[in-house]
mmCIF file of all heavy atoms in Angstrom:
data_model
loop_
_atom_site.group_PDB
_atom_site.id
_atom_site.type_symbol
_atom_site.label_atom_id
_atom_site.label_comp_id
_atom_site.label_asym_id
_atom_site.label_seq_id
_atom_site.Cartn_x
_atom_site.Cartn_y
_atom_site.Cartn_z
ATOM 1 N N LYS A 1 115.071 94.304 26.450
ATOM 2 C CA LYS A 1 114.465 95.639 26.987
ATOM 3 C C LYS A 1 112.928 95.395 27.127
ATOM 4 O O LYS A 1 112.262 95.866 28.016
ATOM 5 C CB LYS A 1 114.773 96.782 26.078
ATOM 6 C CG LYS A 1 116.136 97.126 26.245
ATOM 7 C CD LYS A 1 116.563 98.346 25.195
ATOM 8 C CE LYS A 1 117.931 98.736 25.259
ATOM 9 N NZ LYS A 1 118.300 99.776 24.322
ATOM 10 N N PHE A 2 112.300 94.763 26.157
ATOM 11 C CA PHE A 2 110.903 94.551 26.130
ATOM 12 C C PHE A 2 110.441 93.620 27.347
ATOM 13 O O PHE A 2 109.533 93.870 28.066
ATOM 14 C CB PHE A 2 110.365 93.912 24.789
ATOM 15 C CG PHE A 2 108.875 93.713 24.816
ATOM 16 C CD1 PHE A 2 108.001 94.767 24.656
ATOM 17 C CD2 PHE A 2 108.438 92.356 25.017
ATOM 18 C CE1 PHE A 2 106.649 94.479 24.682
ATOM 19 C CE2 PHE A 2 107.000 92.108 25.170
ATOM 20 C CZ PHE A 2 106.029 93.260 24.951
ATOM 21 N N ALA A 3 111.203 92.565 27.513
ATOM 22 C CA ALA A 3 110.963 91.652 28.606
ATOM 23 C C ALA A 3 111.162 92.355 29.942
ATOM 24 O O ALA A 3 110.266 92.128 30.839
ATOM 25 C CB ALA A 3 111.921 90.379 28.563
ATOM 26 N N ALA A 4 112.239 93.201 30.079
ATOM 27 C CA ALA A 4 112.450 93.895 31.395
ATOM 28 C C ALA A 4 111.253 94.816 31.662
ATOM 29 O O ALA A 4 110.889 94.988 32.844
ATOM 30 C CB ALA A 4 113.766 94.625 31.309
ATOM 31 N N LYS A 5 110.880 95.554 30.605
ATOM 32 C CA LYS A 5 109.898 96.599 30.805
ATOM 33 C C LYS A 5 108.449 96.066 30.944
ATOM 34 O O LYS A 5 107.720 96.523 31.752
ATOM 35 C CB LYS A 5 109.898 97.621 29.703
ATOM 36 C CG LYS A 5 108.997 98.747 29.851
ATOM 37 C CD LYS A 5 109.010 99.770 28.705
ATOM 38 C CE LYS A 5 108.077 100.819 28.776
ATOM 39 N NZ LYS A 5 107.654 101.417 27.571
ATOM 40 N N SER A 6 108.033 95.163 30.104
ATOM 41 C CA SER A 6 106.714 94.813 29.842
ATOM 42 C C SER A 6 106.311 93.354 30.201
ATOM 43 O O SER A 6 105.023 93.018 30.129
ATOM 44 C CB SER A 6 106.320 95.023 28.420
ATOM 45 O OG SER A 6 106.558 96.342 28.052
ATOM 46 N N ARG A 7 107.257 92.476 30.482
ATOM 47 C CA ARG A 7 106.969 91.006 30.771
ATOM 48 C C ARG A 7 107.502 90.649 32.089
ATOM 49 O O ARG A 7 108.540 89.787 32.103
ATOM 50 C CB ARG A 7 107.415 90.258 29.582
ATOM 51 C CG ARG A 7 106.656 90.481 28.220
ATOM 52 C CD ARG A 7 105.272 89.836 28.190
ATOM 53 N NE ARG A 7 105.077 88.490 28.652
ATOM 54 C CZ ARG A 7 105.381 87.487 27.817
ATOM 55 N NH1 ARG A 7 105.586 87.663 26.459
ATOM 56 N NH2 ARG A 7 105.198 86.181 28.290
ATOM 57 N N PRO A 8 107.106 91.053 33.233
ATOM 58 C CA PRO A 8 107.665 90.594 34.432
ATOM 59 C C PRO A 8 107.472 89.119 34.692
ATOM 60 O O PRO A 8 108.096 88.519 35.595
ATOM 61 C CB PRO A 8 106.912 91.353 35.570
ATOM 62 C CG PRO A 8 105.720 91.873 34.747
ATOM 63 C CD PRO A 8 105.974 92.014 33.418
ATOM 64 N N ASP A 9 106.590 88.469 33.905
ATOM 65 C CA ASP A 9 106.423 87.007 34.030
ATOM 66 C C ASP A 9 107.529 86.167 33.476
ATOM 67 O O ASP A 9 107.641 85.014 33.721
ATOM 68 C CB ASP A 9 105.045 86.672 33.370
ATOM 69 C CG ASP A 9 105.082 87.113 31.900
ATOM 70 O OD1 ASP A 9 105.332 88.289 31.651
ATOM 71 O OD2 ASP A 9 104.671 86.212 31.076
ATOM 72 N N ILE A 10 108.331 86.767 32.606
ATOM 73 C CA ILE A 10 109.400 86.077 31.879
ATOM 74 C C ILE A 10 110.583 85.917 32.750
ATOM 75 O O ILE A 10 111.033 86.883 33.388
ATOM 76 C CB ILE A 10 109.788 86.824 30.589
ATOM 77 C CG1 ILE A 10 108.620 86.544 29.519
ATOM 78 C CG2 ILE A 10 111.110 86.266 30.003
ATOM 79 C CD1 ILE A 10 108.912 86.978 28.174
ATOM 80 N N LYS A 11 111.189 84.600 32.773
ATOM 81 C CA LYS A 11 112.489 84.480 33.406
ATOM 82 C C LYS A 11 113.609 84.739 32.348
ATOM 83 O O LYS A 11 113.444 84.226 31.262
ATOM 84 C CB LYS A 11 112.568 82.997 33.883
ATOM 85 C CG LYS A 11 111.495 82.662 34.847
ATOM 86 C CD LYS A 11 111.909 82.716 36.170
ATOM 87 C CE LYS A 11 111.003 82.001 37.140
ATOM 88 N NZ LYS A 11 110.416 82.892 38.159
ATOM 89 N N ILE A 12 114.573 85.610 32.757
ATOM 90 C CA ILE A 12 115.687 85.797 31.861
ATOM 91 C C ILE A 12 116.811 84.942 32.279
ATOM 92 O O ILE A 12 117.236 85.049 33.382
ATOM 93 C CB ILE A 12 116.063 87.323 31.904
ATOM 94 C CG1 ILE A 12 114.854 88.214 31.483
ATOM 95 C CG2 ILE A 12 117.226 87.562 30.996
ATOM 96 C CD1 ILE A 12 115.030 89.668 31.622
ATOM 97 N N MET A 13 117.251 84.113 31.334
ATOM 98 C CA MET A 13 118.128 83.020 31.692
ATOM 99 C C MET A 13 119.576 83.124 31.091
ATOM 100 O O MET A 13 119.683 83.794 30.033
ATOM 101 C CB MET A 13 117.576 81.664 31.241
ATOM 102 C CG MET A 13 116.111 81.412 31.690
ATOM 103 S SD MET A 13 115.950 81.398 33.450
ATOM 104 C CE MET A 13 116.911 79.887 33.748
ATOM 105 N N SER A 14 120.537 82.510 31.629
ATOM 106 C CA SER A 14 121.916 82.510 31.126
ATOM 107 C C SER A 14 121.998 81.489 29.988
ATOM 108 O O SER A 14 121.089 80.538 29.921
ATOM 109 C CB SER A 14 122.950 82.142 32.103
ATOM 110 O OG SER A 14 122.889 80.808 32.403
ATOM 111 N N SER A 15 122.872 81.606 29.047
ATOM 112 C CA SER A 15 123.078 80.684 27.906
ATOM 113 C C SER A 15 123.529 79.231 28.314
ATOM 114 O O SER A 15 123.339 78.398 27.504
ATOM 115 C CB SER A 15 124.004 81.237 26.904
ATOM 116 O OG SER A 15 125.286 81.378 27.496
ATOM 117 N N GLU A 16 123.894 79.122 29.581
ATOM 118 C CA GLU A 16 124.325 77.715 30.027
ATOM 119 C C GLU A 16 123.153 76.847 30.413
ATOM 120 O O GLU A 16 123.287 75.659 30.606
ATOM 121 C CB GLU A 16 125.311 77.757 31.200
ATOM 122 C CG GLU A 16 126.639 78.420 30.899
ATOM 123 C CD GLU A 16 126.546 79.948 30.947
ATOM 124 O OE1 GLU A 16 125.871 80.502 31.870
ATOM 125 O OE2 GLU A 16 127.343 80.672 30.142
ATOM 126 N N TRP A 17 122.076 77.501 30.715
ATOM 127 C CA TRP A 17 120.940 76.720 31.298
ATOM 128 C C TRP A 17 120.552 75.460 30.495
ATOM 129 O O TRP A 17 120.438 74.402 31.058
ATOM 130 C CB TRP A 17 119.668 77.691 31.483
ATOM 131 C CG TRP A 17 118.437 77.064 31.923
ATOM 132 C CD1 TRP A 17 118.319 76.244 32.952
ATOM 133 C CD2 TRP A 17 117.167 77.190 31.364
ATOM 134 N NE1 TRP A 17 116.993 75.847 33.113
ATOM 135 C CE2 TRP A 17 116.246 76.390 32.150
ATOM 136 C CE3 TRP A 17 116.615 77.884 30.252
ATOM 137 C CZ2 TRP A 17 114.856 76.280 31.915
ATOM 138 C CZ3 TRP A 17 115.274 77.789 30.013
ATOM 139 C CH2 TRP A 17 114.417 77.086 30.767
ATOM 140 N N ILE A 18 120.147 75.703 29.236
ATOM 141 C CA ILE A 18 119.616 74.577 28.468
ATOM 142 C C ILE A 18 120.693 73.397 28.261
ATOM 143 O O ILE A 18 120.429 72.333 28.505
ATOM 144 C CB ILE A 18 119.062 74.929 27.161
ATOM 145 C CG1 ILE A 18 117.815 75.833 27.342
ATOM 146 C CG2 ILE A 18 118.716 73.857 26.189
ATOM 147 C CD1 ILE A 18 116.575 75.182 27.945
ATOM 148 N N PRO A 19 121.961 73.750 27.830
ATOM 149 C CA PRO A 19 123.027 72.725 27.764
ATOM 150 C C PRO A 19 123.181 71.905 29.053
ATOM 151 O O PRO A 19 123.358 70.780 29.034
ATOM 152 C CB PRO A 19 124.223 73.436 27.306
ATOM 153 C CG PRO A 19 123.675 74.676 26.609
ATOM 154 C CD PRO A 19 122.481 75.101 27.404
ATOM 155 N N VAL A 20 123.140 72.618 30.261
ATOM 156 C CA VAL A 20 123.426 71.982 31.509
ATOM 157 C C VAL A 20 122.302 71.119 31.877
ATOM 158 O O VAL A 20 122.313 69.942 32.285
ATOM 159 C CB VAL A 20 123.697 73.035 32.637
ATOM 160 C CG1 VAL A 20 123.654 72.355 33.949
ATOM 161 C CG2 VAL A 20 124.990 73.651 32.476
ATOM 162 N N LEU A 21 121.019 71.557 31.610
ATOM 163 C CA LEU A 21 119.813 70.795 31.862
ATOM 164 C C LEU A 21 119.745 69.604 31.025
ATOM 165 O O LEU A 21 119.465 68.552 31.455
ATOM 166 C CB LEU A 21 118.582 71.763 31.699
ATOM 167 C CG LEU A 21 117.189 71.120 31.981
ATOM 168 C CD1 LEU A 21 117.122 70.745 33.484
ATOM 169 C CD2 LEU A 21 116.042 72.129 31.643
ATOM 170 N N TYR A 22 120.078 69.772 29.763
ATOM 171 C CA TYR A 22 120.031 68.715 28.742
ATOM 172 C C TYR A 22 120.994 67.610 29.154
ATOM 173 O O TYR A 22 120.677 66.417 29.122
ATOM 174 C CB TYR A 22 120.426 69.271 27.370
ATOM 175 C CG TYR A 22 120.355 68.209 26.391
ATOM 176 C CD1 TYR A 22 119.101 67.756 25.771
ATOM 177 C CD2 TYR A 22 121.516 67.487 25.858
ATOM 178 C CE1 TYR A 22 119.116 66.847 24.784
ATOM 179 C CE2 TYR A 22 121.432 66.517 24.830
ATOM 180 C CZ TYR A 22 120.264 66.166 24.376
ATOM 181 O OH TYR A 22 120.160 65.190 23.402
ATOM 182 N N GLU A 23 122.227 68.001 29.565
ATOM 183 C CA GLU A 23 123.229 67.022 30.040
ATOM 184 C C GLU A 23 122.689 66.201 31.214
ATOM 185 O O GLU A 23 122.866 64.908 31.273
ATOM 186 C CB GLU A 23 124.511 67.734 30.318
ATOM 187 C CG GLU A 23 125.828 66.841 30.278
ATOM 188 C CD GLU A 23 125.868 66.060 29.009
ATOM 189 O OE1 GLU A 23 125.666 66.526 27.902
ATOM 190 O OE2 GLU A 23 126.157 64.775 29.163
ATOM 191 N N SER A 24 122.125 66.844 32.238
ATOM 192 C CA SER A 24 121.449 66.220 33.318
ATOM 193 C C SER A 24 120.470 65.222 32.966
ATOM 194 O O SER A 24 120.364 64.102 33.542
ATOM 195 C CB SER A 24 120.945 67.277 34.377
ATOM 196 O OG SER A 24 121.987 68.085 34.817
ATOM 197 N N TRP A 25 119.610 65.627 32.024
ATOM 198 C CA TRP A 25 118.510 64.842 31.518
ATOM 199 C C TRP A 25 119.000 63.608 30.808
ATOM 200 O O TRP A 25 118.566 62.481 31.059
ATOM 201 C CB TRP A 25 117.627 65.793 30.594
ATOM 202 C CG TRP A 25 116.486 65.048 29.928
ATOM 203 C CD1 TRP A 25 115.306 64.639 30.603
ATOM 204 C CD2 TRP A 25 116.196 64.754 28.594
ATOM 205 N NE1 TRP A 25 114.447 64.151 29.760
ATOM 206 C CE2 TRP A 25 115.054 64.162 28.418
ATOM 207 C CE3 TRP A 25 117.009 64.990 27.436
ATOM 208 C CZ2 TRP A 25 114.436 63.875 27.262
ATOM 209 C CZ3 TRP A 25 116.483 64.616 26.262
ATOM 210 C CH2 TRP A 25 115.143 64.049 26.038
ATOM 211 N N VAL A 26 119.981 63.831 29.900
ATOM 212 C CA VAL A 26 120.658 62.692 29.113
ATOM 213 C C VAL A 26 121.262 61.660 30.126
ATOM 214 O O VAL A 26 121.153 60.485 29.975
ATOM 215 C CB VAL A 26 121.597 63.181 28.210
ATOM 216 C CG1 VAL A 26 122.524 62.046 27.667
ATOM 217 C CG2 VAL A 26 120.887 63.856 27.005
ATOM 218 N N GLN A 27 121.881 62.158 31.222
ATOM 219 C CA GLN A 27 122.511 61.286 32.295
ATOM 220 C C GLN A 27 121.467 60.530 33.137
ATOM 221 O O GLN A 27 121.837 59.770 33.972
ATOM 222 C CB GLN A 27 123.421 62.065 33.118
ATOM 223 C CG GLN A 27 124.585 62.739 32.538
ATOM 224 C CD GLN A 27 125.519 61.865 31.746
ATOM 225 O OE1 GLN A 27 125.775 60.738 32.172
ATOM 226 N NE2 GLN A 27 125.990 62.174 30.629
ATOM 227 N N GLY A 28 120.202 60.943 32.942
ATOM 228 C CA GLY A 28 119.127 60.320 33.675
ATOM 229 C C GLY A 28 118.974 60.799 35.086
ATOM 230 O O GLY A 28 118.391 60.199 35.964
ATOM 231 N N GLU A 29 119.597 61.959 35.392
ATOM 232 C CA GLU A 29 119.467 62.598 36.803
ATOM 233 C C GLU A 29 118.000 62.987 36.978
ATOM 234 O O GLU A 29 117.305 63.301 36.134
ATOM 235 C CB GLU A 29 120.454 63.753 36.828
ATOM 236 C CG GLU A 29 121.901 63.419 36.847
ATOM 237 C CD GLU A 29 122.856 64.640 36.789
ATOM 238 O OE1 GLU A 29 122.355 65.682 37.207
ATOM 239 O OE2 GLU A 29 124.016 64.479 36.204
ATOM 240 N N ASP A 30 117.747 62.977 38.306
ATOM 241 C CA ASP A 30 116.421 63.409 38.704
ATOM 242 C C ASP A 30 116.373 64.957 38.604
ATOM 243 O O ASP A 30 117.203 65.590 39.182
ATOM 244 C CB ASP A 30 116.186 63.107 40.151
ATOM 245 C CG ASP A 30 115.091 62.000 40.401
ATOM 246 O OD1 ASP A 30 114.458 61.673 39.274
ATOM 247 O OD2 ASP A 30 114.941 61.515 41.426
ATOM 248 N N LEU A 31 115.615 65.524 37.759
ATOM 249 C CA LEU A 31 115.478 66.807 37.575
ATOM 250 C C LEU A 31 114.437 67.339 38.467
ATOM 251 O O LEU A 31 113.275 67.014 38.500
ATOM 252 C CB LEU A 31 114.962 67.248 36.087
ATOM 253 C CG LEU A 31 116.031 66.737 34.991
ATOM 254 C CD1 LEU A 31 115.471 67.123 33.614
ATOM 255 C CD2 LEU A 31 117.377 67.480 35.218
ATOM 256 N N ASP A 32 114.888 68.272 39.410
ATOM 257 C CA ASP A 32 113.958 68.772 40.460
ATOM 258 C C ASP A 32 112.873 69.647 39.815
ATOM 259 O O ASP A 32 113.002 69.943 38.692
ATOM 260 C CB ASP A 32 114.772 69.578 41.490
ATOM 261 C CG ASP A 32 115.449 70.767 40.950
ATOM 262 O OD1 ASP A 32 115.503 70.988 39.795
ATOM 263 O OD2 ASP A 32 115.987 71.541 41.786
ATOM 264 N N ASP A 33 111.987 70.028 40.523
ATOM 265 C CA ASP A 33 110.844 70.875 40.101
ATOM 266 C C ASP A 33 111.366 72.216 39.447
ATOM 267 O O ASP A 33 110.656 72.721 38.573
ATOM 268 C CB ASP A 33 109.815 71.139 41.191
ATOM 269 C CG ASP A 33 109.063 69.807 41.536
ATOM 270 O OD1 ASP A 33 108.988 68.891 40.749
ATOM 271 O OD2 ASP A 33 108.525 69.791 42.698
ATOM 272 N N GLY A 34 112.393 72.642 40.053
ATOM 273 C CA GLY A 34 112.925 73.864 39.535
ATOM 274 C C GLY A 34 113.636 73.939 38.211
ATOM 275 O O GLY A 34 113.852 74.846 37.558
ATOM 276 N N LEU A 35 113.928 72.629 37.706
ATOM 277 C CA LEU A 35 114.585 72.374 36.417
ATOM 278 C C LEU A 35 115.880 73.343 36.236
ATOM 279 O O LEU A 35 116.060 73.887 35.135
ATOM 280 C CB LEU A 35 113.690 72.671 35.252
ATOM 281 C CG LEU A 35 112.490 71.752 35.271
ATOM 282 C CD1 LEU A 35 111.490 72.078 34.285
ATOM 283 C CD2 LEU A 35 112.886 70.236 34.931
ATOM 284 N N LEU A 36 116.588 73.616 37.458
ATOM 285 C CA LEU A 36 117.783 74.432 37.335
ATOM 286 C C LEU A 36 117.476 75.874 36.964
ATOM 287 O O LEU A 36 118.500 76.548 36.659
ATOM 288 C CB LEU A 36 118.872 73.810 36.460
ATOM 289 C CG LEU A 36 119.228 72.409 36.796
ATOM 290 C CD1 LEU A 36 120.257 71.887 35.674
ATOM 291 C CD2 LEU A 36 119.851 72.228 38.139
#
């Protein structure tokens, strides 16, 4: 609620983001600028 109301700069992410990104990183995949 605080992020939604007072922090428009914050990205609200799903719980899959870090595990998926980590797996790509470990596999040596090219991580685009958007980092998924």
